[in-house]
Amino acid sequence: MKRIIALIISVFAVLSMAACGETTNNNQTADASLEAIMNDIKGQISLSGDMMEISSVDKLLDYYGIDPIDVAEFQVMMNSSGVEQDEIAMIKAVDEDAADLIAEKFNTRLESKKQQM
């Protein structure tokens, strides 16, 4: 249980850092690539062999209740064993309103996972 909560907190920390883009000289925001962040996580954390990558935006609706029209980019890995509840989910929203909805859906998913454990 502690491991799951630590992993979820780590993912939220990564998301909060990724949400803060840095401004370049021409006033454009430099975005962090979620794929690069996921690869960095995979390189630093030993993930279970049961981790599967979610590649279809439609699956976000199934697992999280997130409407694909609110998603600009995403990277999701979750444990497929059914025993472990490990998940890494990063979603870049299309706008601030969508980000608020996605954060709400993440919190709902987290509460659901806590109840299952």
Side-chain angles (χ1 to χ4, degrees):
M1 180 68 173
K2 289 180 183 179
R3 181 175 151 203
I4 294 168
I5 292 173
L7 184 60
I8 291 169
I9 290 170
S10 298
V11 170
F12 282 117
V14 169
L15 286 175
S16 66
M17 287 184 282
C20 300
E22 82 182 40
T23 305
T24 59
N25 289 337
N26 58 3
N27 290 328
Q28 293 179 343
T29 301
D31 291 321
S33 162
L34 296 185
E35 184 176 5
I37 294 169
M38 183 64 83
N39 288 335
D40 191 36
I41 290 170
K42 288 177 188 176
Q44 293 184 27
I45 298 173
S46 176
L47 298 174
S48 163
D50 293 326
M51 293 294 279
M52 67 177 183
E53 196 168 329
I54 304 301
S55 58
S56 169
V57 71
D58 295 326
K59 291 291 184 184
L60 295 177
L61 187 59
D62 295 340
Y63 291 114
Y64 298 97
I66 296 172
D67 193 331
I69 65 170
D70 292 330
V71 177
E73 178 184 4
F74 75 99
Q75 289 285 314
V76 176
M77 291 191 72
M78 61 179 47
N79 195 299
S80 62
S81 72
V83 177
E84 298 290 329
Q85 299 297 314
D86 300 335
E87 290 184 20
I88 302 171
M90 298 179 288
I91 299 176
K92 180 179 176 183
V94 294
D95 58 30
E96 276 190 54
D97 290 336
D100 291 339
L101 290 171
I102 290 169
E104 186 178 305
K105 298 295 184 177
F106 271 163
N107 286 329
T108 300
R109 175 83 172 175
L110 176 60
E111 289 304 315
S112 171
K113 290 294 181 180
K114 284 181 185 179
Q115 293 300 319
Q116 288 178 13
M117 295 305 289

